[in-house]
Every structure is written in C-alpha cells, then in structure tokens.
Amino acid sequence: MDEYSTGFCIRTAAARGGGTGSKCGRWNPTGEQVKVLTELFKSGLRTPTTDQIQKISAELSFYGKIESKNVFYWFQNHKARDRQKRRRISVDDLPTTPTPSKQFGSAEKNEAERVIETLQLFPVKSRLYADDWKENSYNHAMEMDHPTLDLRLSFV
Amino acid sequence: MDEYSTGFCIRTAAARGGGTGSKCGRWNPTGEQVKVLTELFKSGLRTPTTDQIQKISAELSFYGKIESKNVFYWFQNHKARDRQKRRRISVDDLPTTPTPSKQFGSAEKNEAERVIETLQLFPVKSRLYADDWKENSYNHAMEMDHPTLDLRLSFV
DNA sequence: GGAGTATGAATGAACG
DNA sequence: CGTTCATTCATACTCC
C-alpha cells in the first residue's frame, strides 16, 4: 500500500548500545531506556496502568524521545514474547524419548510477587456469540436512524 | 522463529488491502472494507445498533468475507482506541508548553452520537486510518538538570 | 548485500 | 467500555 512518511527525526546521537547512528521512523529506545524498562519488567511489572505508563514515559523522556505508546507497546510485546517463549519451552517434547519430566518450575525469573501466572492451558470458555446479534442483547434504537447507508460501490 | 505450528491456515501473503484470499483464522479486512468502515466512523457512527451492524456487514460482504461480529468488533476497537490514544497523547506530550487548554472544551463527556446525514462513500482521500499516533514529535528539552531517574518507581 | 533475527507497531478478538 | 491477549506486519539490527 502506501508508504506513510514517518517522522524524520534525525537523531544522530548514537546513544544506542552499539553506537550505530539510528534513524527514526519508529521509536528506537536508547540503552538506558531499555535498561530501565527491563528493570521494571524484572521487578514484576507486566501490565502497567495508564498512569504508570505516563510516569515511566515522562521519566524516560530524559534519555531521548519517547512517547507513552512506546512504553505501552514495549510492555505488551515483552510480556507477550516472554509468555510465548515459555509456552514453547513448556510444551517441549522432543521426538524420541527425551526427558519426559517436564520442568515446569518456571522459577528462574520469578522475582515478582505479583506475577500471577494463571494457568490457562486449554482454550476454555470459547464463548462464541458469532451471530447472536440477531435480535437480542441491547437495543439502542434511540441513537438515530442510520443515515443513508447506501454503500453503493462505485468501482466494480 | 516461524516454527510455531499454531497456524492452521494457509498463510497468505497477507497484503493488507490487497484483497488476499485469506479464509481462515481471524478476519482480515480488505482495503475497501476498511475504507468504508472508516468513513462511517468519521461520519459519526460509533456504536451501531444490531440492525446497522447487519446492514453494514451485508454491504461489506461484497468485498470479501465478513461477519457481523467483525463489524461489531471493529467499531468497538476503533472507538476504544481512538479514546485511548487521545487520552494518552493529551497527557503525555507536555514539552514545556502549559497546554492552552484547548482540549475537551465543554460538553463532551456525553458524547452525543451525532451522525452526519450526508454520508458520502468514496469522495475523499483514501488515507486509511493512519491517524496521528505519530507526528507529535515535540522537543523534550526539559530543563531538569540531572535526572532523578533511578526509576525506583513510585508507581502507586 | 541478502538471510535471519530482534523488536516496534498494529489490530482482531475477547475478557471482566 | 476499558483493558488485555494473540497474531501478524514492518522495520532495525546482526551476521555471514
């Protein structure tokens, strides 16, 4: 599709760990920022609230350009990948009688006291209300009559 | 990295907007579908009723596979994210300007569902929802001398 | 320079 | 409705 011209913030600070001159286009965290974020994560913070996100973002803005959404995404991704990796490992199972004893200890990183690892091993509660929208649930007919919902396609 | 066998469907090239023939997994809207939905959203529609959802879904089904729930979720997500984004930005970026309080003027909490009667389909640009997550590149030249950012985190 | 990887960003789906 | 999860796309970075 179209390439959206991302912001051109030429930060030649090279504050990155490798010292490579990084260009902008997407947020590129500095070493300090990553360090702090990682620390927080290891402290047990996994899903910061909006307030926390803003606080963190504000603090980290000292090291360089950063926005709240960056912090938000960072935690989202970090948690997701951590979980993903763990998932992969726990399922393990090598093909040919490798250690059947699953080491589900998962006590390597547990430093947080609020890391609630609820076990969701199977897809429970797949509440599929795919087409329940038929004619139940809510009914706010008070909004307005939908305008001309004439979605006539022109290019066909 | 791509060894996870979670994929149950043929992983198509998935060119968003390219009208790929993905038929499994989660709904992948085509460019036209997104366009129409965005247009509706910009017209003021935020919480469509069941009828509207079905109508929209029916219309959009022309462009590709779609279900009512997709439309429902789409509006839900779009509205929620629009809000979330706005909130985050407004609180986040405060470089040095004290914000002349131009946000949220007066009556807005009520968020009246005003819908513009004139709904034109394909008149304007097709810039599909790129919004402004970016583009707020302000200067973070704060005046704080040395950072106190040990980030002991006062997250309360 | 391209392949492979790490990771930021986006969004569909769903929970509480 | 706000928040969270899972999957995927896009891009920066590393290595050969």
Side-chain angles (χ1 to χ4, degrees), chain A residues 119-152:
Chain A
L119 52 152
Q120 41 184 41
L121 305 171
F122 43 88
V124 287
K125 66 183 92 165
S126 28
R127 111 172 220 204
L128 57 106
Y129 47 88
D131 280 347
D132 305 351
W133 318 78
K134 299 297 162 49
E135 56 207 320
N136 67 346
S137 57
Y138 58 95
N139 188 8
H140 318 143
M142 63 195 303
E143 295 188 18
M144 78 301 159
D145 207 72
H146 54 72
T148 33
L149 251 193
D150 262 89
L151 308 180
R152 282 305 169 225

PDB file of all heavy atoms in Angstrom, chain A residues 119-152:
ATOM      1  N   LEU A 119      -3.016 -20.432  35.155  1.00  0.00           N
ATOM      2  CA  LEU A 119      -2.846 -21.477  34.175  1.00  0.00           C
ATOM      3  C   LEU A 119      -3.984 -21.481  33.190  1.00  0.00           C
ATOM      4  O   LEU A 119      -5.112 -21.748  33.508  1.00  0.00           O
ATOM      5  CB  LEU A 119      -2.794 -22.827  34.876  1.00  0.00           C
ATOM      6  CG  LEU A 119      -3.940 -23.110  35.820  1.00  0.00           C
ATOM      7  CD1 LEU A 119      -4.173 -24.602  35.897  1.00  0.00           C
ATOM      8  CD2 LEU A 119      -3.685 -22.535  37.174  1.00  0.00           C
ATOM      9  N   GLN A 120      -3.642 -21.147  32.037  1.00  0.00           N
ATOM     10  CA  GLN A 120      -4.655 -21.255  31.001  1.00  0.00           C
ATOM     11  C   GLN A 120      -4.097 -22.177  29.953  1.00  0.00           C
ATOM     12  O   GLN A 120      -3.505 -21.767  28.982  1.00  0.00           O
ATOM     13  CB  GLN A 120      -4.979 -19.901  30.409  1.00  0.00           C
ATOM     14  CG  GLN A 120      -3.762 -19.048  30.189  1.00  0.00           C
ATOM     15  CD  GLN A 120      -4.176 -17.704  29.696  1.00  0.00           C
ATOM     16  OE1 GLN A 120      -5.142 -17.147  30.165  1.00  0.00           O
ATOM     17  NE2 GLN A 120      -3.466 -17.191  28.740  1.00  0.00           N
ATOM     18  N   LEU A 121      -4.288 -23.405  30.235  1.00  0.00           N
ATOM     19  CA  LEU A 121      -3.664 -24.398  29.386  1.00  0.00           C
ATOM     20  C   LEU A 121      -4.502 -24.734  28.189  1.00  0.00           C
ATOM     21  O   LEU A 121      -4.011 -25.052  27.134  1.00  0.00           O
ATOM     22  CB  LEU A 121      -3.431 -25.655  30.202  1.00  0.00           C
ATOM     23  CG  LEU A 121      -2.634 -25.375  31.466  1.00  0.00           C
ATOM     24  CD1 LEU A 121      -2.609 -26.587  32.329  1.00  0.00           C
ATOM     25  CD2 LEU A 121      -1.239 -24.938  31.121  1.00  0.00           C
ATOM     26  N   PHE A 122      -5.760 -24.638  28.393  1.00  0.00           N
ATOM     27  CA  PHE A 122      -6.601 -25.009  27.274  1.00  0.00           C
ATOM     28  C   PHE A 122      -7.579 -23.893  26.972  1.00  0.00           C
ATOM     29  O   PHE A 122      -7.865 -23.071  27.816  1.00  0.00           O
ATOM     30  CB  PHE A 122      -7.378 -26.287  27.583  1.00  0.00           C
ATOM     31  CG  PHE A 122      -7.937 -26.275  28.970  1.00  0.00           C
ATOM     32  CD1 PHE A 122      -9.175 -25.734  29.224  1.00  0.00           C
ATOM     33  CD2 PHE A 122      -7.192 -26.782  30.024  1.00  0.00           C
ATOM     34  CE1 PHE A 122      -9.678 -25.715  30.495  1.00  0.00           C
ATOM     35  CE2 PHE A 122      -7.706 -26.760  31.302  1.00  0.00           C
ATOM     36  CZ  PHE A 122      -8.946 -26.235  31.546  1.00  0.00           C
ATOM     37  N   PRO A 123      -8.026 -23.899  25.802  1.00  0.00           N
ATOM     38  CA  PRO A 123      -8.945 -22.840  25.385  1.00  0.00           C
ATOM     39  C   PRO A 123     -10.309 -22.997  26.003  1.00  0.00           C
ATOM     40  O   PRO A 123     -11.244 -23.490  25.380  1.00  0.00           O
ATOM     41  CB  PRO A 123      -8.995 -22.989  23.869  1.00  0.00           C
ATOM     42  CG  PRO A 123      -8.698 -24.424  23.638  1.00  0.00           C
ATOM     43  CD  PRO A 123      -7.748 -24.821  24.721  1.00  0.00           C
ATOM     44  N   VAL A 124     -10.443 -22.605  27.183  1.00  0.00           N
ATOM     45  CA  VAL A 124     -11.740 -22.699  27.820  1.00  0.00           C
ATOM     46  C   VAL A 124     -12.637 -21.568  27.366  1.00  0.00           C
ATOM     47  O   VAL A 124     -12.220 -20.661  26.689  1.00  0.00           O
ATOM     48  CB  VAL A 124     -11.599 -22.609  29.351  1.00  0.00           C
ATOM     49  CG1 VAL A 124     -10.997 -23.898  29.866  1.00  0.00           C
ATOM     50  CG2 VAL A 124     -10.776 -21.424  29.708  1.00  0.00           C
ATOM     51  N   LYS A 125     -13.803 -21.625  27.795  1.00  0.00           N
ATOM     52  CA  LYS A 125     -14.743 -20.544  27.580  1.00  0.00           C
ATOM     53  C   LYS A 125     -14.626 -19.905  26.211  1.00  0.00           C
ATOM     54  O   LYS A 125     -14.355 -18.740  26.076  1.00  0.00           O
ATOM     55  CB  LYS A 125     -14.576 -19.489  28.660  1.00  0.00           C
ATOM     56  CG  LYS A 125     -13.247 -18.802  28.578  1.00  0.00           C
ATOM     57  CD  LYS A 125     -13.107 -17.831  29.720  1.00  0.00           C
ATOM     58  CE  LYS A 125     -12.443 -18.520  30.889  1.00  0.00           C
ATOM     59  NZ  LYS A 125     -11.976 -17.577  31.852  1.00  0.00           N
ATOM     60  N   SER A 126     -14.780 -20.653  25.234  1.00  0.00           N
ATOM     61  CA  SER A 126     -14.792 -20.018  23.933  1.00  0.00           C
ATOM     62  C   SER A 126     -16.206 -19.576  23.653  1.00  0.00           C
ATOM     63  O   SER A 126     -16.942 -20.204  22.950  1.00  0.00           O
ATOM     64  CB  SER A 126     -14.324 -20.965  22.852  1.00  0.00           C
ATOM     65  OG  SER A 126     -14.602 -22.254  23.235  1.00  0.00           O
ATOM     66  N   ARG A 127     -16.531 -18.531  24.296  1.00  0.00           N
ATOM     67  CA  ARG A 127     -17.912 -18.073  24.181  1.00  0.00           C
ATOM     68  C   ARG A 127     -18.137 -17.492  22.803  1.00  0.00           C
ATOM     69  O   ARG A 127     -17.825 -16.377  22.494  1.00  0.00           O
ATOM     70  CB  ARG A 127     -18.174 -17.072  25.269  1.00  0.00           C
ATOM     71  CG  ARG A 127     -18.362 -15.757  24.792  1.00  0.00           C
ATOM     72  CD  ARG A 127     -18.788 -14.894  25.908  1.00  0.00           C
ATOM     73  NE  ARG A 127     -19.778 -14.038  25.325  1.00  0.00           N
ATOM     74  CZ  ARG A 127     -20.058 -12.864  25.820  1.00  0.00           C
ATOM     75  NH1 ARG A 127     -19.509 -12.511  26.872  1.00  0.00           N
ATOM     76  NH2 ARG A 127     -20.925 -12.117  25.286  1.00  0.00           N
ATOM     77  N   LEU A 128     -18.623 -18.291  21.981  1.00  0.00           N
ATOM     78  CA  LEU A 128     -18.804 -17.838  20.615  1.00  0.00           C
ATOM     79  C   LEU A 128     -20.190 -17.273  20.445  1.00  0.00           C
ATOM     80  O   LEU A 128     -21.168 -17.975  20.478  1.00  0.00           O
ATOM     81  CB  LEU A 128     -18.599 -18.994  19.653  1.00  0.00           C
ATOM     82  CG  LEU A 128     -19.484 -20.193  19.873  1.00  0.00           C
ATOM     83  CD1 LEU A 128     -20.547 -20.222  18.791  1.00  0.00           C
ATOM     84  CD2 LEU A 128     -18.674 -21.453  19.878  1.00  0.00           C
ATOM     85  N   TYR A 129     -20.213 -16.015  20.305  1.00  0.00           N
ATOM     86  CA  TYR A 129     -21.502 -15.395  20.052  1.00  0.00           C
ATOM     87  C   TYR A 129     -21.404 -14.773  18.702  1.00  0.00           C
ATOM     88  O   TYR A 129     -21.615 -13.604  18.486  1.00  0.00           O
ATOM     89  CB  TYR A 129     -21.828 -14.353  21.099  1.00  0.00           C
ATOM     90  CG  TYR A 129     -20.718 -13.430  21.378  1.00  0.00           C
ATOM     91  CD1 TYR A 129     -20.571 -12.281  20.626  1.00  0.00           C
ATOM     92  CD2 TYR A 129     -19.809 -13.691  22.394  1.00  0.00           C
ATOM     93  CE1 TYR A 129     -19.553 -11.420  20.875  1.00  0.00           C
ATOM     94  CE2 TYR A 129     -18.785 -12.826  22.644  1.00  0.00           C
ATOM     95  CZ  TYR A 129     -18.661 -11.696  21.888  1.00  0.00           C
ATOM     96  OH  TYR A 129     -17.642 -10.826  22.131  1.00  0.00           O
ATOM     97  N   ALA A 130     -21.015 -15.591  17.818  1.00  0.00           N
ATOM     98  CA  ALA A 130     -20.758 -15.089  16.485  1.00  0.00           C
ATOM     99  C   ALA A 130     -21.956 -14.374  15.915  1.00  0.00           C
ATOM    100  O   ALA A 130     -21.896 -13.221  15.541  1.00  0.00           O
ATOM    101  CB  ALA A 130     -20.365 -16.232  15.568  1.00  0.00           C
ATOM    102  N   ASP A 131     -23.026 -15.032  15.884  1.00  0.00           N
ATOM    103  CA  ASP A 131     -24.184 -14.428  15.257  1.00  0.00           C
ATOM    104  C   ASP A 131     -25.365 -14.343  16.199  1.00  0.00           C
ATOM    105  O   ASP A 131     -26.503 -14.574  15.837  1.00  0.00           O
ATOM    106  CB  ASP A 131     -24.578 -15.226  14.014  1.00  0.00           C
ATOM    107  CG  ASP A 131     -23.678 -14.863  12.854  1.00  0.00           C
ATOM    108  OD1 ASP A 131     -22.963 -13.867  12.955  1.00  0.00           O
ATOM    109  OD2 ASP A 131     -23.717 -15.588  11.853  1.00  0.00           O
ATOM    110  N   ASP A 132     -25.043 -14.000  17.427  1.00  0.00           N
ATOM    111  CA  ASP A 132     -26.146 -13.833  18.357  1.00  0.00           C
ATOM    112  C   ASP A 132     -26.759 -12.469  18.178  1.00  0.00           C
ATOM    113  O   ASP A 132     -27.720 -12.112  18.801  1.00  0.00           O
ATOM    114  CB  ASP A 132     -25.648 -13.940  19.800  1.00  0.00           C
ATOM    115  CG  ASP A 132     -24.920 -15.241  19.975  1.00  0.00           C
ATOM    116  OD1 ASP A 132     -24.970 -16.052  19.057  1.00  0.00           O
ATOM    117  OD2 ASP A 132     -24.326 -15.431  21.030  1.00  0.00           O
ATOM    118  N   TRP A 133     -26.132 -11.738  17.363  1.00  0.00           N
ATOM    119  CA  TRP A 133     -26.549 -10.353  17.190  1.00  0.00           C
ATOM    120  C   TRP A 133     -27.868 -10.279  16.473  1.00  0.00           C
ATOM    121  O   TRP A 133     -28.337  -9.232  16.129  1.00  0.00           O
ATOM    122  CB  TRP A 133     -25.518  -9.613  16.376  1.00  0.00           C
ATOM    123  CG  TRP A 133     -24.166  -9.989  16.810  1.00  0.00           C
ATOM    124  CD1 TRP A 133     -23.498 -11.134  16.498  1.00  0.00           C
ATOM    125  CD2 TRP A 133     -23.330  -9.273  17.667  1.00  0.00           C
ATOM    126  NE1 TRP A 133     -22.293 -11.134  17.093  1.00  0.00           N
ATOM    127  CE2 TRP A 133     -22.152  -9.994  17.830  1.00  0.00           C
ATOM    128  CE3 TRP A 133     -23.452  -8.044  18.319  1.00  0.00           C
ATOM    129  CZ2 TRP A 133     -21.115  -9.559  18.602  1.00  0.00           C
ATOM    130  CZ3 TRP A 133     -22.422  -7.618  19.081  1.00  0.00           C
ATOM    131  CH2 TRP A 133     -21.261  -8.378  19.226  1.00  0.00           C
ATOM    132  N   LYS A 134     -28.396 -11.388  16.262  1.00  0.00           N
ATOM    133  CA  LYS A 134     -29.650 -11.429  15.538  1.00  0.00           C
ATOM    134  C   LYS A 134     -30.643 -10.405  16.061  1.00  0.00           C
ATOM    135  O   LYS A 134     -30.962  -9.438  15.430  1.00  0.00           O
ATOM    136  CB  LYS A 134     -30.255 -12.830  15.633  1.00  0.00           C
ATOM    137  CG  LYS A 134     -29.384 -13.882  15.034  1.00  0.00           C
ATOM    138  CD  LYS A 134     -29.188 -13.640  13.546  1.00  0.00           C
ATOM    139  CE  LYS A 134     -27.992 -14.412  13.042  1.00  0.00           C
ATOM    140  NZ  LYS A 134     -28.072 -15.800  13.501  1.00  0.00           N
ATOM    141  N   GLU A 135     -31.059 -10.647  17.236  1.00  0.00           N
ATOM    142  CA  GLU A 135     -32.098  -9.748  17.729  1.00  0.00           C
ATOM    143  C   GLU A 135     -32.268  -9.857  19.225  1.00  0.00           C
ATOM    144  O   GLU A 135     -33.346  -9.959  19.739  1.00  0.00           O
ATOM    145  CB  GLU A 135     -33.414 -10.091  17.063  1.00  0.00           C
ATOM    146  CG  GLU A 135     -33.767 -11.550  17.277  1.00  0.00           C
ATOM    147  CD  GLU A 135     -34.640 -12.045  16.158  1.00  0.00           C
ATOM    148  OE1 GLU A 135     -35.499 -11.273  15.768  1.00  0.00           O
ATOM    149  OE2 GLU A 135     -34.447 -13.160  15.696  1.00  0.00           O
ATOM    150  N   ASN A 136     -31.207  -9.925  19.877  1.00  0.00           N
ATOM    151  CA  ASN A 136     -31.340  -9.905  21.326  1.00  0.00           C
ATOM    152  C   ASN A 136     -30.392  -8.839  21.847  1.00  0.00           C
ATOM    153  O   ASN A 136     -30.181  -7.842  21.226  1.00  0.00           O
ATOM    154  CB  ASN A 136     -31.000 -11.259  21.912  1.00  0.00           C
ATOM    155  CG  ASN A 136     -29.540 -11.569  21.720  1.00  0.00           C
ATOM    156  OD1 ASN A 136     -28.869 -10.912  20.955  1.00  0.00           O
ATOM    157  ND2 ASN A 136     -29.062 -12.556  22.422  1.00  0.00           N
ATOM    158  N   SER A 137     -29.857  -9.100  22.953  1.00  0.00           N
ATOM    159  CA  SER A 137     -28.936  -8.147  23.549  1.00  0.00           C
ATOM    160  C   SER A 137     -29.529  -6.744  23.606  1.00  0.00           C
ATOM    161  O   SER A 137     -30.695  -6.578  23.850  1.00  0.00           O
ATOM    162  CB  SER A 137     -27.623  -8.139  22.779  1.00  0.00           C
ATOM    163  OG  SER A 137     -27.860  -7.849  21.429  1.00  0.00           O
ATOM    164  N   TYR A 138     -28.699  -5.823  23.401  1.00  0.00           N
ATOM    165  CA  TYR A 138     -29.120  -4.438  23.572  1.00  0.00           C
ATOM    166  C   TYR A 138     -29.887  -3.914  22.375  1.00  0.00           C
ATOM    167  O   TYR A 138     -29.928  -4.480  21.330  1.00  0.00           O
ATOM    168  CB  TYR A 138     -27.902  -3.558  23.803  1.00  0.00           C
ATOM    169  CG  TYR A 138     -26.920  -3.659  22.679  1.00  0.00           C
ATOM    170  CD1 TYR A 138     -26.944  -2.743  21.654  1.00  0.00           C
ATOM    171  CD2 TYR A 138     -25.964  -4.677  22.658  1.00  0.00           C
ATOM    172  CE1 TYR A 138     -26.051  -2.825  20.630  1.00  0.00           C
ATOM    173  CE2 TYR A 138     -25.061  -4.763  21.617  1.00  0.00           C
ATOM    174  CZ  TYR A 138     -25.114  -3.834  20.612  1.00  0.00           C
ATOM    175  OH  TYR A 138     -24.220  -3.910  19.605  1.00  0.00           O
ATOM    176  N   ASN A 139     -30.398  -2.819  22.591  1.00  0.00           N
ATOM    177  CA  ASN A 139     -31.152  -2.204  21.514  1.00  0.00           C
ATOM    178  C   ASN A 139     -31.284  -0.717  21.752  1.00  0.00           C
ATOM    179  O   ASN A 139     -32.211  -0.242  22.377  1.00  0.00           O
ATOM    180  CB  ASN A 139     -32.540  -2.852  21.441  1.00  0.00           C
ATOM    181  CG  ASN A 139     -33.287  -2.374  20.220  1.00  0.00           C
ATOM    182  OD1 ASN A 139     -32.721  -1.692  19.370  1.00  0.00           O
ATOM    183  ND2 ASN A 139     -34.556  -2.709  20.157  1.00  0.00           N
ATOM    184  N   HIS A 140     -30.357  -0.010  21.266  1.00  0.00           N
ATOM    185  CA  HIS A 140     -30.409   1.440  21.459  1.00  0.00           C
ATOM    186  C   HIS A 140     -30.979   2.108  20.235  1.00  0.00           C
ATOM    187  O   HIS A 140     -30.290   2.816  19.559  1.00  0.00           O
ATOM    188  CB  HIS A 140     -29.028   2.038  21.665  1.00  0.00           C
ATOM    189  CG  HIS A 140     -28.182   1.207  22.563  1.00  0.00           C
ATOM    190  ND1 HIS A 140     -26.854   1.037  22.376  1.00  0.00           N
ATOM    191  CD2 HIS A 140     -28.496   0.515  23.663  1.00  0.00           C
ATOM    192  CE1 HIS A 140     -26.385   0.271  23.328  1.00  0.00           C
ATOM    193  NE2 HIS A 140     -27.352  -0.065  24.118  1.00  0.00           N
ATOM    194  N   ALA A 141     -32.157   1.906  20.027  1.00  0.00           N
ATOM    195  CA  ALA A 141     -32.728   2.500  18.822  1.00  0.00           C
ATOM    196  C   ALA A 141     -32.821   4.009  18.941  1.00  0.00           C
ATOM    197  O   ALA A 141     -33.241   4.695  18.043  1.00  0.00           O
ATOM    198  CB  ALA A 141     -34.118   1.935  18.569  1.00  0.00           C
ATOM    199  N   MET A 142     -32.400   4.493  20.049  1.00  0.00           N
ATOM    200  CA  MET A 142     -32.568   5.914  20.263  1.00  0.00           C
ATOM    201  C   MET A 142     -31.475   6.735  19.595  1.00  0.00           C
ATOM    202  O   MET A 142     -31.527   7.947  19.599  1.00  0.00           O
ATOM    203  CB  MET A 142     -32.564   6.212  21.750  1.00  0.00           C
ATOM    204  CG  MET A 142     -31.243   5.846  22.401  1.00  0.00           C
ATOM    205  SD  MET A 142     -31.359   5.790  24.166  1.00  0.00           S
ATOM    206  CE  MET A 142     -31.940   7.411  24.516  1.00  0.00           C
ATOM    207  N   GLU A 143     -30.536   6.088  19.102  1.00  0.00           N
ATOM    208  CA  GLU A 143     -29.456   6.866  18.525  1.00  0.00           C
ATOM    209  C   GLU A 143     -29.967   7.731  17.394  1.00  0.00           C
ATOM    210  O   GLU A 143     -30.175   8.896  17.525  1.00  0.00           O
ATOM    211  CB  GLU A 143     -28.378   5.944  17.981  1.00  0.00           C
ATOM    212  CG  GLU A 143     -27.727   5.184  19.099  1.00  0.00           C
ATOM    213  CD  GLU A 143     -26.550   4.424  18.602  1.00  0.00           C
ATOM    214  OE1 GLU A 143     -26.066   4.748  17.511  1.00  0.00           O
ATOM    215  OE2 GLU A 143     -26.118   3.506  19.278  1.00  0.00           O
ATOM    216  N   MET A 144     -30.123   7.131  16.329  1.00  0.00           N
ATOM    217  CA  MET A 144     -30.708   7.846  15.212  1.00  0.00           C
ATOM    218  C   MET A 144     -30.910   6.834  14.120  1.00  0.00           C
ATOM    219  O   MET A 144     -30.395   5.770  14.155  1.00  0.00           O
ATOM    220  CB  MET A 144     -29.798   8.966  14.733  1.00  0.00           C
ATOM    221  CG  MET A 144     -28.658   8.506  13.893  1.00  0.00           C
ATOM    222  SD  MET A 144     -27.593   7.337  14.715  1.00  0.00           S
ATOM    223  CE  MET A 144     -26.840   6.577  13.315  1.00  0.00           C
ATOM    224  N   ASP A 145     -31.645   7.253  13.210  1.00  0.00           N
ATOM    225  CA  ASP A 145     -31.823   6.354  12.092  1.00  0.00           C
ATOM    226  C   ASP A 145     -30.572   6.432  11.254  1.00  0.00           C
ATOM    227  O   ASP A 145     -30.126   7.499  10.894  1.00  0.00           O
ATOM    228  CB  ASP A 145     -33.028   6.800  11.277  1.00  0.00           C
ATOM    229  CG  ASP A 145     -33.628   5.627  10.576  1.00  0.00           C
ATOM    230  OD1 ASP A 145     -34.245   4.801  11.282  1.00  0.00           O
ATOM    231  OD2 ASP A 145     -33.458   5.526   9.372  1.00  0.00           O
ATOM    232  N   HIS A 146     -30.020   5.325  11.021  1.00  0.00           N
ATOM    233  CA  HIS A 146     -28.788   5.342  10.256  1.00  0.00           C
ATOM    234  C   HIS A 146     -28.972   6.172   9.007  1.00  0.00           C
ATOM    235  O   HIS A 146     -29.981   6.099   8.328  1.00  0.00           O
ATOM    236  CB  HIS A 146     -28.386   3.929   9.870  1.00  0.00           C
ATOM    237  CG  HIS A 146     -29.459   3.193   9.154  1.00  0.00           C
ATOM    238  ND1 HIS A 146     -29.810   3.493   7.875  1.00  0.00           N
ATOM    239  CD2 HIS A 146     -30.259   2.205   9.564  1.00  0.00           C
ATOM    240  CE1 HIS A 146     -30.779   2.682   7.507  1.00  0.00           C
ATOM    241  NE2 HIS A 146     -31.083   1.902   8.516  1.00  0.00           N
ATOM    242  N   PRO A 147     -27.991   6.943   8.758  1.00  0.00           N
ATOM    243  CA  PRO A 147     -28.090   7.823   7.596  1.00  0.00           C
ATOM    244  C   PRO A 147     -28.219   6.985   6.342  1.00  0.00           C
ATOM    245  O   PRO A 147     -28.552   5.842   6.374  1.00  0.00           O
ATOM    246  CB  PRO A 147     -26.764   8.574   7.590  1.00  0.00           C
ATOM    247  CG  PRO A 147     -25.851   7.732   8.404  1.00  0.00           C
ATOM    248  CD  PRO A 147     -26.709   7.024   9.399  1.00  0.00           C
ATOM    249  N   THR A 148     -27.943   7.580   5.299  1.00  0.00           N
ATOM    250  CA  THR A 148     -28.032   6.835   4.061  1.00  0.00           C
ATOM    251  C   THR A 148     -26.949   5.793   4.015  1.00  0.00           C
ATOM    252  O   THR A 148     -25.849   6.055   3.578  1.00  0.00           O
ATOM    253  CB  THR A 148     -27.871   7.794   2.885  1.00  0.00           C
ATOM    254  OG1 THR A 148     -26.992   8.817   3.298  1.00  0.00           O
ATOM    255  CG2 THR A 148     -29.187   8.378   2.476  1.00  0.00           C
ATOM    256  N   LEU A 149     -27.270   4.682   4.478  1.00  0.00           N
ATOM    257  CA  LEU A 149     -26.282   3.632   4.462  1.00  0.00           C
ATOM    258  C   LEU A 149     -26.162   3.049   3.073  1.00  0.00           C
ATOM    259  O   LEU A 149     -26.128   1.861   2.888  1.00  0.00           O
ATOM    260  CB  LEU A 149     -26.699   2.543   5.431  1.00  0.00           C
ATOM    261  CG  LEU A 149     -25.836   2.482   6.658  1.00  0.00           C
ATOM    262  CD1 LEU A 149     -26.107   1.207   7.408  1.00  0.00           C
ATOM    263  CD2 LEU A 149     -24.385   2.599   6.311  1.00  0.00           C
ATOM    264  N   ASP A 150     -26.114   3.887   2.205  1.00  0.00           N
ATOM    265  CA  ASP A 150     -26.033   3.437   0.824  1.00  0.00           C
ATOM    266  C   ASP A 150     -24.607   3.177   0.426  1.00  0.00           C
ATOM    267  O   ASP A 150     -23.958   3.996  -0.159  1.00  0.00           O
ATOM    268  CB  ASP A 150     -26.593   4.511  -0.103  1.00  0.00           C
ATOM    269  CG  ASP A 150     -28.008   4.201  -0.457  1.00  0.00           C
ATOM    270  OD1 ASP A 150     -28.874   4.641   0.285  1.00  0.00           O
ATOM    271  OD2 ASP A 150     -28.231   3.511  -1.450  1.00  0.00           O
ATOM    272  N   LEU A 151     -24.191   2.070   0.763  1.00  0.00           N
ATOM    273  CA  LEU A 151     -22.818   1.781   0.432  1.00  0.00           C
ATOM    274  C   LEU A 151     -22.735   1.254  -0.993  1.00  0.00           C
ATOM    275  O   LEU A 151     -22.392   0.120  -1.242  1.00  0.00           O
ATOM    276  CB  LEU A 151     -22.281   0.759   1.407  1.00  0.00           C
ATOM    277  CG  LEU A 151     -22.514   1.174   2.843  1.00  0.00           C
ATOM    278  CD1 LEU A 151     -21.950   0.127   3.757  1.00  0.00           C
ATOM    279  CD2 LEU A 151     -21.876   2.506   3.107  1.00  0.00           C
ATOM    280  N   ARG A 152     -23.095   2.100  -1.856  1.00  0.00           N
ATOM    281  CA  ARG A 152     -23.004   1.690  -3.254  1.00  0.00           C
ATOM    282  C   ARG A 152     -21.559   1.658  -3.673  1.00  0.00           C
ATOM    283  O   ARG A 152     -20.837   2.637  -3.528  1.00  0.00           O
ATOM    284  CB  ARG A 152     -23.728   2.699  -4.132  1.00  0.00           C
ATOM    285  CG  ARG A 152     -25.196   2.560  -4.136  1.00  0.00           C
ATOM    286  CD  ARG A 152     -25.680   1.223  -4.494  1.00  0.00           C
ATOM    287  NE  ARG A 152     -27.101   1.196  -4.187  1.00  0.00           N
ATOM    288  CZ  ARG A 152     -27.665   0.190  -3.570  1.00  0.00           C
ATOM    289  NH1 ARG A 152     -26.955  -0.826  -3.219  1.00  0.00           N
ATOM    290  NH2 ARG A 152     -28.930   0.200  -3.329  1.00  0.00           N
TER     291      ARG A 152
END
